[in-house]
Amino acid sequence: MTLDLFEPAALTQKERVNAAMKELPPHEPGVYTMYDKRDQVLYVGKAKDLMKRVTSYRYSKSKKVQKMIAHVERIRVEVCNSETDAILLENLLIRSLRPPFNSANKKPETYYYISTERRGNHREFRLSMRVLDDYSNIYGCFKGHLKTRKGLGAMLRLLYVKQQEINSAHYLPSQLLKRITPQRFILNLDENTEQMVDHFLSGSSDQLAWDLEEAVLSRDLKDKFTYNYLDTQLESLRMFYTLGPERNFKIKEEMGLESPIIDQDKIDDLMVMLKS
């Protein structure tokens, strides 16, 4: 959508918001949608109290908000039964309408799946933004580009350290030393470690993190850099588990979901319902 950024603001910010509302919204939870003069959606928001939230735009000091209000022609409100219902409706509208002034919940590319498959005597790991049919073990989806890639990268590096019994980060393969985690990597894992990986990625147990921490602490590390580097990897791994696999496990358990994976179009709504 293209906005006419040079359109003169004939009304003050307060006057434009007042004119766009037509009437004051109620003190109830709901969703509000802002339209421009072409009746195109500029922004979708949710509120615990529609009256307080919508009228607050009269005095916002945010440059982004002021830029948006300069184009607002109409504000539509929809009352919901609860704040949870408002969040769910907001998620739906943002995903379907993709308003230019909304940033959250618009990018499906920030959702990832981690797949694994035995290839001969090795275990292959694959990171993707869709479900891959040729892998027997699929986990996710996991929300967040940086969190997921850092988490998988940390797991691969620590598994490699344990597997190869190296004592310096400098001995890691070049693929794992890059800032961007490889989308495909192969490791030789024993059966017990494979089970821990499965439980970890499915969110039922974080025993893998403890096992990898023990492997690092028991190693006579060559230098302080390696110790700090691996400690950072352990921190990233635990953070990923809490915000990814463990949260997905709780969603599936509390919502009674039968599928081992969660669709990326549903996870935001399920996360909201989990918190409510």
Side-chain angles (χ1 to χ4, degrees):
M1 175 181 183
T2 301
L3 297 175
D4 182 5
L5 303 181
F6 299 99
E7 177 183 323
L11 302 174
T12 66
Q13 185 172 326
K14 179 180 178 181
E15 290 171 336
R16 185 171 286 275
V17 171
N18 288 343
M21 284 192 297
K22 307 304 179 186
E23 60 182 27
L24 291 176
H27 287 286
E28 295 186 60
V31 171
Y32 58 95
T33 308
M34 297 187 174
Y35 298 83
D36 67 6
K37 65 180 181 182
R38 301 180 183 88
D39 216 32
Q40 293 180 298
V41 176
L42 295 173
Y43 182 81
V44 173
K46 56 92 175 57
K48 185 176 182 179
D49 184 317
L50 283 166
M51 173 70 165
K52 290 182 179 179
R53 181 67 183 121
V54 174
T55 55
S56 71
Y57 284 95
R58 295 166 171 169
Y59 311 105
S60 175
K61 301 298 183 182
S62 165
K63 295 297 182 183
K64 180 180 177 181
V65 169
Q66 291 176 346
K67 177 181 175 182
M68 177 180 70
I69 295 301
H71 297 275
V72 170
E73 193 74 16
R74 178 168 69 93
I75 300 175
R76 176 179 177 271
V77 300
E78 184 167 345
V79 175
C80 297
N81 291 327
S82 66
E83 187 179 8
T84 297
D85 287 347
I87 297 172
L88 294 174
L89 178 57
E90 179 200 36
N91 284 345
L92 174 63
L93 292 174
I94 291 174
R95 286 198 301 266
S96 59
L97 300 174
R98 303 291 177 90
F101 283 94
N102 283 96
S103 56
N105 300 338
K106 286 175 60 179
K107 301 179 180 178
E109 68 270 14
T110 61
Y111 299 85
Y112 285 97
Y113 296 93
I114 295 174
S115 306
T116 71
E117 184 66 59
R118 174 150 290 283
R119 309 290 188 192
N121 296 324
H122 298 82
R123 176 66 61 175
E124 179 180 312
F125 291 81
R126 180 73 186 273
L127 181 69
S128 63
M129 293 189 293
R130 61 182 179 85
V131 174
L132 302 176
D133 297 330
D134 53 339
Y135 287 80
S136 57
N137 304 291
I138 305 172
Y139 311 90
C141 66
F142 302 120
K143 183 177 181 179
H145 173 87
L146 185 61
K147 175 199 66 184
T148 304
R149 299 202 73 149
K150 285 180 68 175
L152 177 60
M155 185 175 72
L156 295 176
R157 293 180 189 103
L158 292 165
L159 284 170
Y160 188 90
V161 169
K162 178 187 176 183
Q163 168 198 325
Q164 298 295 329
E165 298 187 356
I166 62 176
N167 63 356
S168 173
H170 299 290
Y171 297 139
L172 286 167
S174 59
Q175 270 186 290
L176 296 182
L177 286 173
K178 295 178 181 178
R179 291 184 62 187
I180 299 179
T181 303
Q183 290 186 299
R184 180 186 279 110
F185 196 79
I186 297 177
L187 286 166
N188 184 15
L189 304 179
D190 59 67
E191 184 177 346
N192 182 53
T193 302
E194 284 192 346
Q195 289 180 352
M196 286 192 288
V197 167
D198 176 69
H199 293 158
F200 182 88
L201 291 175
S202 62
S204 61
S205 171
D206 65 346
Q207 182 58 44
L208 177 68
W210 292 105
D211 183 76
L212 294 175
E213 181 177 8
E214 183 179 347
V216 169
L217 293 176
S218 64
R219 197 68 43 82
D220 183 18
L221 299 177
K222 192 173 183 180
D223 50 60
K224 187 175 181 180
F225 168 80
T226 296
Y227 175 83
N228 291 335
Y229 181 78
L230 296 181
D231 188 57
T232 300
Q233 301 307 304
L234 286 166
E235 184 180 346
S236 295
L237 185 65
R238 292 189 184 282
M239 181 178 297
F240 166 65
Y241 178 78
T242 301
L243 300 178
E246 185 178 43
R247 183 166 58 187
N248 281 12
F249 182 82
K250 289 179 180 178
I251 288 174
K252 287 182 284 188
E253 192 174 53
E254 294 195 20
M255 302 300 171
L257 304 181
E258 296 182 0
S259 174
I261 60 175
I262 300 177
D263 188 274
Q264 64 184 31
D265 291 329
K266 298 178 180 178
I267 191 167
D268 286 324
D269 292 346
L270 291 170
M271 287 168 59
V272 170
M273 294 169 68
L274 181 67
K275 295 176 183 178
S276 63

